[in-house]
Amino acid sequence: QQPVQSPQAVILREGEDAVINCSSSKALYSVHWYRQKHGEAPVFLMILLKGGEQKGHEKISASFNEKKQQSSLYLTASQLSYSGTYFCGTEISGGGADGLTFGKGTHLIIQP
Amino acid sequence: EAGVAQSPRYKIIEKRQSVAFWCNPISGHATLYWYQQILGQGPKLLIQFQNNGVVDDSQLPKDRFSAERLKGVDSTLKIQPAKLEDSAVYLCASSFGVLGGGPKETQYFGPGTRLLVL
């Protein structure tokens, strides 16, 4: 049931764009995106809801394809501060009865 | 606004010893989560509380792990006895969200407790 993230790692130059994917074998109710820097707690970025409603970070966007059961996180004109590990957390049903299931993460390194 | 507080930040113990972690969620947050994050992995949910009741503990190894949230605020996670494979970061998170049909509210994570079992 753990979502699969791709790529596992990516190295970019500052200013380049990145796409991180999250795929599930089960139908999803919502997808939550977090960024974690080394030795720190995960920080919330974005939530994608079934039906298309979206909330989140002003400089990062995301999509949620319910039919394909996948979500993608888009980072445009990447900055050095974007470096870290990105996790998607998936929710199978609404109502808060089940916890988030996180993927293994995508390591993003931004070089100057 | 104060964030999620956890203590201790680091703990080193020998296998078969006991250890306890403490978490104080953001004021007003009804839901509290404990996650285990093994090096190189995403957080894995151990237990979820709604106020002082358990909502989900399906992934909690109940033969050695226990958790409580007696007054619906602070929470304690205990491991007794610890095994080598329990070495991980234990993250506490909280959210305002209440049960009732909507999606999970944003979860705010604490800094975590890094446990090393020797």
Side-chain angles (χ1 to χ4, degrees):
Chain A
Q1 295 185 6
Q2 183 179 38
V4 177
Q5 290 188 232
S6 63
Q8 289 186 328
V10 60
I11 301 174
L12 298 175
R13 293 285 182 189
E14 196 173 6
E16 293 181 335
D17 300 339
V19 180
I20 300 172
N21 301 303
C22 174
S23 298
S24 172
S25 60
K26 293 197 170 188
L28 299 175
Y29 184 82
S30 70
V31 180
H32 301 230
W33 286 96
Y34 286 80
R35 177 172 62 213
Q36 186 177 32
K37 294 185 180 286
H38 182 69
E40 299 181 9
V43 173
F44 172 78
L45 293 175
M46 182 88 65
I47 179 172
L48 286 301
L49 305 175
K50 182 179 179 181
E53 184 183 350
Q54 175 178 327
K55 298 187 276 187
H57 200 286
E58 62 178 15
K59 293 188 177 182
I60 298 173
S61 62
S63 64
F64 180 18
N65 187 321
E66 296 167 39
K67 287 185 178 180
K68 292 185 178 180
Q69 297 166 187
Q70 68 182 33
S71 175
S72 296
L73 186 71
Y74 306 95
L75 301 96
T76 56
S78 58
Q79 305 170 15
L80 294 175
S81 62
Y82 286 5
S83 292
T85 302
Y86 289 77
F87 293 100
C88 66
T90 55
E91 185 181 8
I92 302 300
S93 60
D98 57 331
L100 291 178
T101 302
F102 285 92
K104 292 186 176 182
T106 295
H107 303 282
L108 177 64
I109 298 173
I110 309 296
Q111 296 178 334
Chain B
E1 178 183 83
V4 176
Q6 290 188 247
S7 67
R9 293 294 310 276
Y10 304 91
K11 192 73 177 179
I12 301 175
I13 61 173
E14 295 189 349
K15 60 183 179 183
R16 291 187 289 273
Q17 286 188 324
S18 303
V19 64
F21 313 128
W22 172 82
C23 173
N24 182 243
I26 293 174
S27 178
H29 279 194
T31 309
L32 184 147
Y33 313 81
W34 282 102
Y35 289 89
Q36 179 192 58
Q37 187 174 25
I38 293 172
L39 187 63
Q41 303 286 322
K44 172 189 168 185
L45 180 70
L46 292 176
I47 189 167
Q48 174 185 347
F49 290 95
Q50 178 73 19
N51 295 310
N52 61 349
V54 175
V55 174
D56 180 7
D57 64 355
S58 58
Q59 299 190 90
L60 185 74
K62 298 180 185 64
D63 58 333
R64 298 184 300 106
F65 286 66
S66 64
E68 59 183 14
R69 193 185 183 199
L70 293 176
K71 296 183 178 179
V73 181
D74 294 6
S75 178
T76 302
L77 176 70
K78 297 180 181 177
I79 307 175
Q80 180 178 11
K83 293 185 175 181
L84 297 177
E85 58 261 35
D86 297 333
S87 294
V89 176
Y90 291 84
L91 294 164
C92 178
S94 70
S95 69
F96 180 79
V98 294
L99 296 177
K104 280 250 179 303
E105 291 286 337
T106 300
Q107 295 183 29
Y108 296 89
F109 284 83
T113 295
R114 284 156 180 76
L115 174 67
L116 178 61
V117 182
L118 302 176

